[in-house]
């Protein structure tokens, strides 16, 4: 859970508008604070990480770059999850979604917010966020994000006792995940291995659904 989103891999300095006069120093502080905060989060030094990420958020707010601020709010929310503070994480994700961010950033925020809601038992809210994320993933043609979201939806529907919907979404996730492998094996004349791989995944699906 919570493995998804470009925020873990995308540099905060990527895709920004050119610095405006008077903003260069604050923009540099925003980038540097982000670049300090993310590794600290990965190392488990969550207090200093959150301090650095909040500093980056404040600097981006002064610069006026809403997409970068939303991206750092994604990272802040993930740090709060690691700190076992789901309410603070939810606030960070909601703040990010209130900004005018790029579709890729919104996709990450919707996905983790939906997963957070479902983990906390707010299944209707979680499904609503995940379905919105699914639309974005398909529009952006992000197949792995689509598979992850379908998987999350499958778990949410299972928790609601909606077995047909759970099976449908988990099957779709499996097909997306296995399609590139099977396609490669077909191209190389090794279709039999593809069938074996799919067959090997079925017991996991059965365990997930408790069939």
């Amino acid at each position: 859970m919570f493995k998804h989103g470009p925020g873990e891999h995308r540099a905060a300095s990527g895709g920004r508008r050119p610095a405006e006069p008077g903003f260069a120093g604050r923009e540099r502080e925003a980038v540097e604070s982000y670049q300090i905060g993310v590794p600290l989060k990965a190392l488990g030094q969550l207090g200093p990480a959150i301090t650095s990420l909040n500093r980056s958020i404040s600097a981006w707010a002064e610069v006026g770059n809403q997409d970068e601020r939303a991206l750092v709010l994604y990272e802040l929310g993930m740090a709060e999850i690691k700190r076992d503070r789901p309410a603070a994480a939810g606030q960070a994700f909601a703040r990010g979604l209130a900004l005018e961010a790029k579709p890729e950033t919104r996709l990450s925020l919707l996905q983790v917010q939906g997963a957070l809601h479902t983990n906390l038992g707010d299944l209707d809210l979680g499904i609503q966020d995940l379905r919105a994320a699914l639309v974005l993933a398909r529009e952006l043609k992000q197949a792995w994000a689509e598979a992850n979201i379908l998987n999350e939806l499958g778990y949410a529907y299972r928790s609601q006792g909606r077995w047909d919907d759970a099976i449908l979404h988990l099957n779709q996730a499996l097909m997306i995940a296995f399609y590139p492998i099977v396609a490669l094996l077909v191209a190389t004349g090794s279709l039999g291995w593809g069938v074996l791989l799919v067959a090997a995944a079925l017991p996991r699906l059965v365990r997930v659904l408790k069939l």
Side-chain angles (χ1 to χ4, degrees), residues 178 181-182 185-186 190-200:
F178 277 101
I181 299 171
V182 174
L185 292 170
V186 170
S190 304
L191 179 58
W193 286 106
V195 173
L196 288 174
L197 283 169
V198 173

Side-chain angles (χ1 to χ4, degrees), residues 138-157:
R138 287 171 172 168
E139 288 177 354
L140 296 169
K141 301 186 187 307
Q142 293 195 11
W144 283 107
E146 181 181 353
N148 282 329
I149 295 163
L150 287 165
N151 187 59
E152 296 280 5
L153 281 167
Y155 278 98
Y157 288 132

